[in-house]
Amino acid sequence: MSLWTSLEPASATVDPGGSTRVRLRLRNTGDIVDEYRFEPVGPIAPWTTVEPQTLRLYPGTTGTVELTFAPPRTPDATAGPNPYAVRITPTEHPEATTVPEGNLTITPFTEMRAELVPPTVKGRFRGRPKLAVDNLGNTKLTASVSGNDTGDQLSYEIFPSNVQIEPGRAAFVRTTLKPRRIIWFGPKEQRPYTLNVLRSGVNPTPVEGTYVQRGFLPRWLATFFGIFVGLAITFVMLWIAYKPGVTSGATEKTAEAGATLAPSPSASASPALPPAPAPTTTPSPAAGDGGAGGAGGGGGGGKPTVTAKPKADTAATAVNRLAASDPSGRHVCYRAFVQGEGWQKPVCDGTVAGTVGQARAVKALNVAVYGVQGSAGSAMVHDDQSTNGQGRWLPNWTAIKADGKDNYIGSTKKDAPYLVTFVWNVGSGQACNVVKVRDQDWRDQSCNNARPDLNTAGAFDNSRWIEAIKLTV
């Protein structure tokens, strides 16, 4: 059996939501009549139709079928070149299958949706809404977020201020709103604001919300306090104005009578004073009594009081505290062991760990996660014997497959090498980092999917240590 095929054209372009056609020509170069069945295969097969699905050809004759490609306008239709193929199976000789291949380029499109969760927040000193940004296009979305309001009544802390979102994925931007003026007394006030999602070459997308600012003290308490102060002042003024005078009714005769009734000096002797107490000596702890004092005996041989050393505040204790207040969220807490400083306090969800501009290297990291099925990590450390300008990898990964547990990477020993590169992943969702290495600015945020994908932070340069890092999940 012999068959000749040709795709016309071999490469085609289509817009998501539209369609295009490619002609498949084939010739039966054999010596028997045969019938051919057509089946699209490959990633874009669900969007491909073949008409007709079977074709019968006599020897030496040529036939044509139409391939129609109709990718949907969804993130599944990935922008760029997409290979496709059609399996042709002869009925008489099914073992002689032919698979002609072509290329279909899907054009990119961008579509975004943004909303505030919740749209209205309340507070006296701050509000913390979240902005959800969904990438509904078929290409990576890069955007920045800024805030503004009428009258400049609020200040904005936005993290991250720049996001990169893969097609079909979403990113959450945490925002802290702080009023520039505190309401000490009085009713609550509504302060409308807008978060703008900015993309290159496109008008900003505004998302409107409302911050309801409450008074520091309730109005009724202010009224009560005013009345109380007024009554107190009135009482003091009345007391000063009408304070009764006190005069003595005693006379000289009374004084004389008192002198007559007084006993003579010889009538009775003055009572004797008690003897002065004998000096006492409290034995010192070194005297062999176990450190007990002499006040009231005290049991003589009691055990000395021992004060327990407080438990260290690790990444696990921090993330478990955070999970208790937000059990449905995803969190990562971490702390850095900084050269010449030791362990820092743990921080969470994108806060800076380490130092900036102090030439201090991070030698170890302590990481704990919640809501992502544990974490695993390793590191490249400084190598004195390096011949290629890079550090050396630690021999083992440390993996914690449960949430709320401490994971340690690196060493806290005095002569331990500093971290050059940090690699980690989580069990579900994404792991992201923003890192600063020696003599360089902060790098752009880098995100990777859950294991087995890896998220890498650092420069791989043996002479550049990690100074500071920010982690999110």
Side-chain angles (χ1 to χ4, degrees):
M1 195 285 298
S2 181
L3 179 66
W4 171 86
T5 62
S6 174
L7 287 169
E8 300 176 354
S11 298
T13 302
V14 65
D15 296 327
S19 63
T20 189
R21 292 185 178 183
V22 173
R23 179 178 296 174
L24 173 62
R25 298 180 60 197
L26 65 161
R27 180 184 299 130
N28 183 356
T29 58
D31 54 3
I32 62 172
V33 178
D34 209 339
E35 184 177 64
Y36 304 95
R37 296 192 303 273
F38 305 93
E39 178 187 5
V41 293
I44 63 174
W47 313 325
T48 307
T49 57
V50 183
E51 294 180 354
Q53 295 183 352
T54 60
L55 186 64
R56 186 178 182 85
L57 295 178
Y58 287 91
T61 61
T62 302
T64 302
V65 296
E66 295 284 343
L67 305 179
T68 303
F69 303 100
R73 190 177 174 84
T74 65
D76 297 331
T78 306
N82 293 268
Y84 70 88
V86 180
R87 182 186 293 118
I88 305 175
T89 306
T91 302
E92 298 298 329
H93 299 279
E95 73 283 355
T97 300
T98 302
V99 185
E101 298 179 353
N103 186 70
L104 178 69
T105 300
I106 300 177
T107 60
F109 77 95
T110 58
E111 186 174 343
M112 185 197 68
R113 179 177 60 200
E115 60 179 339
L116 279 168
V117 184
T120 300
V121 292
K122 301 177 181 180
R124 292 180 173 85
F125 304 108
R126 61 181 57 84
R128 292 189 174 93
K130 289 184 178 180
L131 179 66
V133 183
D134 296 285
N135 184 4
L136 305 180
N138 66 346
T139 186
K140 182 182 290 188
L141 172 68
T142 301
S144 61
V145 182
S146 63
N148 68 281
D149 60 274
T150 303
D152 195 25
Q153 297 175 333
L154 301 173
S155 64
Y156 303 85
E157 294 179 4
I158 300 174
F159 182 83
S161 59
N162 296 279
V163 293
Q164 287 187 339
I165 312 172
E166 297 293 333
R169 308 300 289 268
F172 288 89
V173 178
R174 295 186 295 277
T175 305
T176 300
L177 310 174
K178 293 183 179 180
R180 300 187 185 277
R181 180 179 61 87
I182 298 176
I183 302 175
W184 294 104
F185 301 100
K188 58 188 177 183
E189 297 182 10
Q190 293 189 357
R191 307 197 185 281
Y193 68 94
T194 302
L195 295 182
N196 297 294
V197 183
L198 309 174
R199 293 177 290 161
S200 177
V202 181
N203 291 330
T205 302
V207 184
E208 297 181 349
T210 303
Y211 172 60
V212 180
Q213 184 179 357
R214 297 169 174 167
F216 179 72
L217 294 176
R219 194 170 185 177
W220 65 265
L221 185 59
T223 303
F224 173 79
F225 182 74
I227 294 174
F228 176 79
V229 171
L231 291 175
I233 294 174
T234 302
F235 176 78
V236 171
M237 297 301 294
L238 290 174
W239 174 263
I240 294 174
Y242 297 100
K243 182 178 179 180
V246 179
T247 59
S248 174
T251 62
E252 294 180 357
K253 292 184 178 180
T254 305
E256 293 175 355
T260 304
L261 294 174
S264 63
S266 61
S268 62
S270 298
L273 295 175
T280 59
T281 303
T282 302
S284 66
D289 61 352
K303 295 182 179 180
T305 302
V306 178
T307 302
K309 184 178 180 181
K311 187 177 180 180
D313 191 8
T314 67
T317 58
V319 82
N320 287 324
R321 284 196 302 267
L322 192 56
S325 61
D326 184 17
S328 62
R330 296 155 49 90
H331 304 287
V332 56
C333 293
Y334 45 95
R335 59 176 179 152
F337 187 89
V338 178
Q339 181 181 17
E341 182 178 330
W343 283 114
Q344 295 181 329
K345 290 289 186 180
V347 295
C348 302
D349 295 341
T351 305
V352 176
T355 60
V356 177
Q358 299 183 21
R360 294 176 180 266
V362 174
K363 302 179 70 173
L365 287 172
N366 170 211
V367 181
V369 296
Y370 178 82
V372 294
Q373 301 177 14
S375 68
S378 185
M380 174 182 281
V381 298
H382 175 76
D383 184 8
D384 291 332
Q385 308 300 323
S386 175
T387 59
N388 59 359
Q390 296 184 356
R392 59 177 175 84
W393 290 105
L394 293 178
N396 298 313
W397 276 71
T398 57
I400 305 296
K401 295 186 178 180
D403 289 333
K405 302 293 185 181
D406 281 312
N407 194 353
Y408 291 89
I409 297 93
S411 174
T412 61
K413 294 182 179 180
K414 180 179 180 181
D415 298 325
Y418 52 74
L419 301 188
V420 172
T421 303
F422 170 58
V423 181
W424 72 305
N425 61 19
V426 294
S428 65
Q430 284 190 326
C432 301
N433 81 79
V434 180
V435 68
K436 185 184 185 309
V437 299
R438 174 193 178 190
D439 296 333
Q440 291 185 359
D441 293 329
W442 283 98
R443 298 195 167 197
D444 293 335
Q445 184 183 46
S446 172
C447 297
N448 289 84
N449 294 327
R451 65 175 70 100
D453 285 359
L454 301 178
N455 184 261
T456 304
F460 299 95
D461 188 337
N462 201 34
S463 64
R464 297 186 185 275
W465 56 69
I466 293 178
E467 277 191 348
I469 195 168
K470 298 185 281 189
L471 304 179
T472 54
V473 294

